[in-house]
């Protein structure tokens, strides 16, 4: 299906709507899930960073000593990164005048060897001093943990200290980058797999509808026209309603059949009386007998057509050309004054499974109209086109106006009221064509200039 050329047709199907809705909603759902998972991972990384800096704080607190107001730490700390230049882990210990604890003029008492080259670039906390307060900050290039305390030595000297520990964001950024790649690759693969699974689930869910379509197509060939399949609860009300409609239609057909049978039986006796009276007048018995027999044939044929549904599989294929030649011979006698020239373009192998009486009536009405309204020429052509049989009958008359081309196919409608007729010939033709699943089209003949009727009958 070319969805670009015909998007409305694509969206007019359940499958198209489901796929379009999935393509619209699934990315939103996957994107929202990805953002939530990424934020959760960030929070976990930040919590881990804070816990690691707290561990480093405990290392410094355990290593530091204060004697007579002086802070001392050993050169070799338990954490070797403090002694390596640019290791990514840095620490500073600041002190404040004990008499002015709210002052922000801090003095550096100690810094790790790793922080000597970065001492000026490490951002210090500007928060007021508050004993035993611990704060964690996420800075553009570092994570920082700040801890304030007042340390008293054995002589009772109080020393306000601020511990500041820094850790670069390199490890955090690298972990976050790897997680993002794995997350979005995984979610993309999951979205494709989920969409594929949804398509298979949708096809499995729509399988009962396809089964219903197949059963409906087979209904015309069944004697008892009822849906017998077992369908899900959502479809069962539809099938039950269809079965009720089919049952009502079958009852109407039976009543129609009984009415026509009664009509045929009622006409049988009057026709027999007429036929007996005709035989007593020998001088005209031939013509009248022929017409009475024709009336009997027409009644039987119309009764059969009204009762039985047309099924091409039950009919023997009829050759088109012999029927057309017989009709042209008969029309040539009826319209001998016009000296009509019949041009036939029908292959000898062109056949169609149709009842012979239907074929004669179908072609007879159209050929008679062509002879009646044409001047001198009637062209009849039959050909196969893909899986259809196309029959065209055109004349060189005045044609049919475009606004009347569909109206004349209605029962009782006539384009020309000057000539005698009841206006039901084309309607009967239309009924026959429709009974075989075909179509009838009226147009202007491109070669003769008059009216042209095109019959399209499906071969399969």
């Amino acid at each position: 299906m070319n969805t670009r050329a015909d998007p409305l047709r694509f969206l007019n199907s359940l499958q198209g709507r489901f796929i379009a809705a999935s393509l619209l909603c699934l990315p939103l759902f996957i994107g929202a899930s990805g953002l939530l998972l990424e934020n959760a991972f960030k929070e976990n990384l930040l919590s881990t960073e804070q816990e690691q800096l707290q561990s480093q704080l405990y290392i410094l607190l355990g290593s530091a000593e204060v004697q007579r107001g002086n802070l001392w730490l050993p050169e070799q700390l338990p954490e070797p990164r403090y002694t390596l230049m640019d290791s990514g882990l840095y620490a500073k210990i600041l002190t404040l005048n004990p008499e002015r604890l709210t002052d922000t003029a801090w003095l550096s008492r100690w810094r790790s060897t790793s922080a000597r080259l970065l001492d000026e670039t490490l951002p210090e906390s500007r928060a007021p001093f508050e004993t035993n307060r611990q704060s964690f900050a996420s800075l553009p290039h570092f994570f920082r943990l700040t801890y304030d305390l007042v340390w008293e030595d054995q002589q009772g000297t109080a020393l306000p200290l601020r511990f500041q520990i820094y850790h670069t964001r390199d490890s955090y950024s690298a972990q976050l980058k790897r997680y993002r790649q794995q997350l979005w690759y995984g979610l993309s693969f999951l979205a494709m797999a989920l969409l594929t699974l949804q398509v298979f689930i949708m096809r499995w869910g729509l399988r009962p509808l396809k089964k219903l379509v197949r059963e409906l197509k087979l209904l015309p060939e069944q004697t008892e026209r009822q849906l017998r399949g077992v369908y899900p609860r959502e479809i069962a009300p539809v099938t039950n309603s269809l079965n009720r409609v089919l049952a009502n239609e079958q009852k109407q057909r039976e009543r129609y059949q009984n009415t026509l049978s009664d009509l045929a039986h009622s006409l049988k006796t009057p026709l027999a009386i007429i036929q007996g009276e005709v035989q007593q007048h020998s001088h005209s018995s031939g013509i009248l007998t022929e017409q009475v027999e024709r009336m009997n044939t027409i009644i039987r044929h119309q009764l059969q057509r009204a009762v039985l549904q047309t099924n091409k599989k039950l009919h023997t294929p009829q050759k088109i050309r012999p029927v057309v030649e017989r009709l042209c011979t008969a029309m040539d006698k009826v319209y001998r004054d016009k000296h009509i020239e019949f041009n036939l373009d029908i292959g000898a192998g062109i056949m169609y499974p149709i009842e012979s009486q239907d074929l004669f009536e179908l072609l007879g009405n159209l050929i008679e109209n062509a002879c009646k309204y044409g001047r001198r020429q009637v062209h009849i052509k039959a050909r196969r086109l893909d899986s259809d049989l196309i029959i065209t009958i055109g004349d060189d008359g005045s044609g049919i106006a475009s606004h009347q081309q569909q109206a004349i196919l209605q029962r009782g409608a006539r384009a020309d009221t000057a000539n005698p007729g009841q206006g039901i010939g084309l309607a009967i033709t239309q009924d026959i064509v429709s009974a075989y699943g075909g179509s009838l089209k009226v147009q202007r003949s491109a070669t003769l200039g008059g009216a042209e009727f095109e019959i399209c009958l499906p071969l399969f």
Side-chain angles (χ1 to χ4, degrees):
M1 180 183 295
N2 189 353
T3 57
R4 291 185 179 179
D6 197 356
L8 294 179
R9 182 179 178 185
F10 177 73
L11 294 177
N12 198 31
S13 67
L14 294 178
Q15 182 173 347
R17 292 182 179 183
F18 183 85
I19 293 176
S22 298
L23 291 176
L24 179 63
C25 298
L26 192 59
L28 297 177
F29 176 78
I30 293 296
S33 301
L35 292 177
L36 292 175
L37 291 174
E38 183 177 324
N39 288 333
F41 185 73
K42 284 182 180 180
E43 294 294 331
N44 182 63
L45 286 181
L46 291 176
S47 177
T48 302
E49 286 287 343
Q50 185 174 359
E51 291 176 358
Q52 290 178 355
L53 292 182
Q54 285 177 343
S55 299
Q56 298 301 323
L57 174 63
Y58 298 148
I59 291 175
L60 293 179
L61 290 174
S63 302
E65 293 183 7
V66 176
Q67 296 178 357
R68 297 180 181 179
N70 294 319
L71 177 66
W72 178 86
L73 280 90
E75 292 184 1
Q76 296 294 330
L77 295 172
E79 174 56 64
R81 285 182 292 175
Y82 287 124
T83 61
L84 298 177
M85 300 297 293
D86 198 20
S87 64
L89 182 64
Y90 316 102
K92 296 170 65 176
I93 302 177
L94 309 176
T95 186
L96 187 65
N97 189 342
E99 297 180 356
R100 301 176 60 186
L101 296 181
T102 59
D103 194 355
T104 58
W106 292 88
L107 297 177
S108 177
R109 284 286 185 145
W110 178 87
R111 66 178 181 273
S112 63
T113 304
S114 60
R116 289 178 180 177
L117 297 179
L118 300 175
D119 190 33
E120 300 297 331
T121 60
L122 293 174
E124 296 180 358
S125 174
R126 299 299 180 183
F129 182 86
E130 184 178 343
T131 303
N132 296 329
R133 183 182 65 179
Q134 178 178 299
S135 62
F136 176 79
S138 177
L139 305 175
H141 302 289
F142 301 94
F143 294 107
R144 183 185 66 201
L145 181 70
T146 303
Y147 181 68
D148 295 341
L149 80 159
V150 177
W151 197 312
E152 293 184 0
D153 59 10
Q154 295 178 354
Q155 290 76 24
T157 303
L159 182 65
L161 298 176
R162 171 167 286 182
F163 287 75
Q164 293 191 145
I165 306 171
Y166 302 85
H167 187 217
T168 61
R169 298 177 65 95
D170 295 343
S171 175
Y172 169 84
S173 300
Q175 292 184 64
L176 185 59
K177 181 179 179 180
R178 288 195 300 270
Y179 179 78
R180 280 176 176 171
Q181 291 178 347
Q182 295 176 359
L183 174 65
W184 292 110
Y185 285 151
L187 288 178
S188 299
F189 175 78
L190 181 63
M192 296 300 297
L194 184 59
L195 183 61
T196 303
L197 181 61
Q198 285 178 331
V199 171
F200 281 108
I201 293 175
M202 176 197 60
R203 291 185 176 179
W204 176 72
L206 293 178
R207 190 174 297 174
L209 291 178
K210 295 182 179 180
K211 177 184 176 182
L212 177 60
V213 171
R214 290 194 299 267
E215 193 171 357
L216 287 174
K217 289 181 179 179
L218 295 176
L219 275 181
E221 301 177 5
Q222 297 177 358
T223 304
E224 186 177 359
R225 301 178 63 187
Q226 289 285 299
L227 299 174
R228 298 299 183 186
V230 179
Y231 295 96
R233 292 194 306 269
E234 293 78 4
I235 304 179
V238 178
T239 58
N240 293 336
S241 298
L242 285 174
N243 281 334
R244 286 194 294 270
V245 171
L246 292 172
N248 292 333
E249 189 265 347
Q250 183 67 25
K251 292 180 180 178
Q252 291 179 358
R253 292 176 66 87
E254 291 177 357
R255 288 195 295 268
Y256 190 30
Q257 177 183 1
N258 294 333
T259 301
L260 290 176
S261 299
D262 294 341
L263 175 62
H265 185 270
S266 299
L267 292 176
K268 181 179 179 181
T269 301
L271 285 176
I273 296 174
I274 294 174
Q275 189 172 11
E277 291 294 328
V278 165
Q279 291 177 354
Q280 295 181 5
H281 302 79
S282 58
H283 63 279
S284 59
S285 60
I287 298 176
L288 293 179
T289 301
E290 180 182 355
Q291 295 303 314
V292 171
E293 289 295 334
R294 183 181 179 186
M295 290 173 63
N296 279 320
T297 302
I298 291 174
I299 290 175
R300 288 194 302 268
H301 175 65
Q302 295 297 335
L303 178 62
Q304 184 180 11
R305 281 185 54 204
V307 173
L308 299 177
Q309 185 176 5
T310 299
N311 190 343
K312 296 192 292 292
K313 295 182 179 180
L314 302 179
H315 300 308
T316 303
Q318 304 288 333
K319 291 187 176 181
I320 305 300
R321 188 177 181 91
V323 175
V324 173
E325 290 177 346
R326 289 178 57 185
L327 291 171
C328 290
T329 300
M331 292 299 108
D332 186 48
K333 296 178 180 178
V334 175
Y335 297 95
R336 63 172 60 92
D337 296 337
K338 288 189 172 184
H339 303 287
I340 296 177
E341 177 184 350
F342 293 95
N343 185 358
L344 307 184
D345 183 9
I346 305 173
I350 300 295
M351 305 173 67
Y352 190 77
I354 185 174
E355 188 179 345
S356 60
Q357 185 69 24
D358 286 341
L359 182 60
F360 272 96
E361 191 167 0
L362 170 64
L363 297 178
N365 287 331
L366 296 180
I367 294 176
E368 183 179 5
N369 279 348
C371 295
K372 181 188 297 184
Y373 299 107
R375 297 186 179 92
R376 297 291 300 275
Q377 293 185 350
V378 174
H379 286 189
I380 305 171
K381 180 179 181 181
R383 69 187 189 279
R384 292 176 179 267
L385 182 61
D386 297 331
S387 59
D388 297 322
L389 172 65
I390 308 298
I391 303 175
T392 55
I393 301 174
D395 59 68
D396 59 347
S398 57
I400 301 173
S402 58
H403 67 277
Q404 292 181 315
Q405 290 178 357
Q406 293 300 323
I408 62 173
L409 299 180
Q410 304 298 323
R411 187 174 297 272
R414 300 177 60 210
D416 181 13
T417 57
N419 293 322
Q422 291 76 36
I424 63 172
L426 290 179
I428 294 175
T429 302
Q430 176 80 308
D431 291 341
I432 297 174
V433 172
S434 299
Y436 287 88
S439 61
L440 178 62
K441 183 170 65 176
V442 186
Q443 57 194 8
R444 180 172 291 275
S445 175
T447 56
L448 301 180
E452 182 178 84
F453 291 84
E454 180 182 280
I455 306 169
C456 178
L457 297 172
L459 292 169
F460 307 104

